[in-house]
Amino acid sequence: MSVEKSTFQGEKPGKRTATAAKLLQRIVFISLGAALFSIGLEVFLVPNNIIDGGITGISIMLSHFFHLPLGIFLTLLNLPFLFLGYKQIGKTFAISTLFGVIAMSVGTSLLHPVPAVTIDPLLAAVFGGVILGVGIGLVIRSGGSLDGTEIVAILINKKSPFSVGEIVLFINLFILGSAGFVFGWDHAMYSLIAYYIAMKMIDVTIEGLDQSKSVWIISEKYKEIGDALTQRLGRGVTYLHGEGAYTGDDKKVIFTVITRLEEAKLKSIVEEWDENAFIAVGNIHDVKGGQFKKKDIH
C-alpha cells in the first residue's frame, strides 16, 4: 500500500488531465479521419469502380473477386504492417493505427448499403479524392495511419526529401496499373486523378493551409531590420550569435517565423535596409509554443 501511495503522490493531477485530454483528442480526430476515409471510399470511389491505393486498393480488388465485405480484407491485410509500425515507429503509433483501421473497416461496412452520391466518375474522383485525402491527413497528423503503404511512406519520409503524399503516390502507381486490368483503363486513370487530389489534400491537412516558414537573416544592420520586422510585420525576432567561418568575425543572426503570405513583404523590408543581406527561408510543418502568434500593429 505504501508503494502505491508514493506512486500516486508523485503524479500531478494537471499532468494526468492533460494526458487524458490529448488521448481524447487523438481518438476524436482518428475517428473523424476514418469516417471521412470510409465516406470517400463507399460513397464516391468504390461504386464508380475507382480504387484507392495501397492495401486498401488491393482489398477493394479482392473484395470484388471474392464478393466478401471490404472491411475483412482491410483488417487482415493491414495486420503485418501494424507489426512493422510497432517495431519501427512505436507502440502509440501501432495502437493508433489499429484503432484507425478498425474504425475504417466498421465505417465501410456501415456505409456499403448507402447509394453513391454521383455516377459521374470524374466528379467521384475529384470529391472522393478530396474527402479521402483529408481523412488520411487527419489520422497521420494524429499519430496513426489507415493503410500499410502509409506506414512505409512515413518511414521513408524520415530519410528522404519527399512528402508522405508523394511517396504514397509513387507506391500506388503500381497498384493503379493492376486496377486497369480489373476495372478497365478508364477507371484506372480516374483513380490516378483521385490519387493526385488526395496527395495534395494529405499535405494540406498535415502541414496546414497557412504553412509557416523559418527565416534566418545575416546583416550588419541586424538591429534596424529586427525592429522593422517587429513593427511592420508584427512578428517577434530572436538574435542569435554567429561566427564567420572564413573571417572569424562575430555576426548577429536574425531568426523569425512567418507565414508564406508574408515572405515577399519580409524580403522587401530587409532589402530596404540592406540589399546585400543574407536571407535563408525554410518550410516548417508545425509551430507550437513561444510567441508565434502575430502581434497587433498600431
Side-chain angles (χ1 to χ4, degrees), residues 22-157:
K22 288 183 179 180
L23 177 61
L24 179 61
Q25 182 183 31
R26 184 188 295 266
I27 292 173
V28 169
F29 278 102
I30 291 178
S31 300
L32 177 60
L36 289 174
F37 188 89
S38 301
I39 292 171
L41 277 182
E42 290 290 353
V43 180
F44 289 92
L45 301 186
V46 174
N48 289 280
N49 291 329
I50 300 173
I51 75 163
D52 187 20
I55 298 302
T56 307
I58 297 173
S59 298
I60 292 173
M61 289 187 282
L62 290 175
S63 177
H64 174 77
F65 281 125
F66 294 102
H67 304 288
L68 292 174
L70 177 60
I72 294 176
F73 295 104
L74 288 173
T75 303
L76 293 178
L77 296 182
N78 273 298
L79 288 178
F81 293 95
L82 287 173
F83 179 76
L84 176 63
Y86 174 77
K87 289 291 186 180
Q88 299 294 327
I89 303 178
K91 181 179 179 180
T92 302
F93 175 83
I95 294 174
S96 299
T97 300
L98 178 61
F99 176 74
V101 169
I102 293 174
M104 173 183 64
S105 300
V106 172
T108 54
S109 299
L110 294 176
L111 290 171
H112 186 69
V114 177
V117 172
T118 177
I119 58 173
D120 186 321
L122 181 59
L123 289 177
V126 172
F127 286 93
V130 170
I131 296 173
L132 206 72
V134 173
I136 295 172
L138 282 175
V139 175
I140 293 177
R141 187 163 185 167
S142 300
S145 175
L146 290 178
D147 192 280
T149 53
E150 293 162 24
I151 296 176
V152 176
I154 291 170
L155 294 174
I156 297 175
N157 173 253

